[in-house]
Amino acid sequence: MSTRVRPVQALIVVDIQADAVRGDRAVPDAARLVERTAELIARARAAGALVVHVQNDGRPGTGDEPGTPGWELHHPVEPSATETVIRKTRDDGFHGTPLEGLLTGAGVRALAVCGVMSEMCVLATARTALELGYRVVLPHDAHATHDIPAAPGISGPVPAATVSRVAEWALGSDPEVVAHAADVAFAAPAPGAG
């Protein structure tokens, strides 16, 4: 049974880059994540919602260092008035980027966040969106991370699925956490609503 929520006017796709979803460094169940984020992107485009691909510029020597194969976005971008790429150097997709101005200018008041890593960039971006007064929808099956390795004397390994759920929990009761990407509905921003 669907628990579809009120429509959002934007989709923020956080760091779905080759290094995170292909090869040895991919998140667990990367194929599912890619499928869910592709589905969200397609439905957002069809509804005329704003689609923002956030691309991390990693430090030299990291898997997402700019210009390396791992840095490339996995999903094709259809540059238009309603789809764009924003590059960042911090976890938070708003920090030092034009994201807030882009959302405000488009009249967006509600958005969905998906991508990697749940406890870092997804969490930071969703938290700032909430602090800025946006309504935030977080589809559980459309964000992911890695297992946390054991820390001797502290804990055993923590499975990625648990880490993702804790990231959602850390945001408190403000975001609308939904089980499935299919539960997210999209609409075009209202002209002049910003």
Side-chain angles (χ1 to χ4, degrees), residues 136-140 143 165 168-169 171-172 175-179:
V136 176
V137 176
L138 191 60
H140 178 76
H143 67 92
R165 181 64 189 118
E168 294 167 351
W169 184 257
L171 288 168
E176 296 174 41
V177 178
V178 296

Side-chain angles (χ1 to χ4, degrees), residues 101-159:
L102 181 65
L103 295 171
T104 300
V108 171
R109 294 307 316 143
L111 53 89
V113 180
C114 64
V116 295
M117 302 294 173
S118 299
E119 79 284 17
M120 293 188 291
C121 300
V122 171
L123 173 68
T125 302
R127 177 171 282 138
T128 296
L130 290 166
E131 290 170 358
L132 292 171
Y134 292 98
R135 191 178 125 247
V136 176
V137 176
L138 191 60
H140 178 76
D141 64 352
H143 67 92
T145 192
H146 291 285
D147 297 339
I148 296 177
I154 298 174
S155 77
V158 181

